[in-house]
Amino acid sequence: MKKGIHPEAYKTVVFKDMSNGYSFLSRSTAHSKETVKWEDGNEYPVIKLEISNTSHPFYTGKNVLVDTAGRIDKFKKRYEKKSK
């Protein structure tokens, strides 16, 4: 590995999949103002994810529809007008 190209400030954070509520503890350089109490009793910054390996269709083998902020409704409204 090349010296001096990787960040030094790794800290323990919780990643939370917002589509199914799954959380896991890892190390990252990402910053967050929100914190969450973990299973070990300590508080860690939480990074919210829209999708992770527990909800992604490639890893689960299931085609799960994840509607983030009404994107599907916006799409249907937009193309409903054009199809008439």
Side-chain angles (χ1 to χ4, degrees), residues 3-4 9 11 30 32 54 71-72:
K3 302 261 187 229
K11 60 185 175 282
S32 175
T54 60
R71 289 182 189 171
I72 294 171

Side-chain angles (χ1 to χ4, degrees), residues 67-72 74:
D67 185 13
T68 306
R71 289 182 189 171
I72 294 171
K74 289 178 188 176

Side-chain angles (χ1 to χ4, degrees), residues 11-70:
K11 60 185 175 282
T12 306
V13 297
V14 173
F15 288 95
K16 182 173 184 177
D17 186 337
M18 299 309 290
S19 64
N20 63 8
Y22 177 75
S23 299
F24 59 95
L25 192 64
S26 185
R27 292 173 40 108
S28 177
T29 59
H31 299 285
S32 175
K33 293 182 180 181
E34 295 181 54
T35 60
V36 67
K37 192 167 218 163
W38 189 243
E39 299 161 355
D40 63 2
N42 294 327
E43 244 182 67
Y44 297 104
V46 63
I47 307 294
K48 295 180 179 178
L49 306 172
E50 288 186 25
I51 197 161
S52 71
N53 65 324
T54 60
S55 60
H56 194 281
F58 180 80
Y59 295 105
T60 61
K62 299 175 187 172
N63 193 4
V64 178
L65 186 61
V66 177
D67 185 13
T68 306

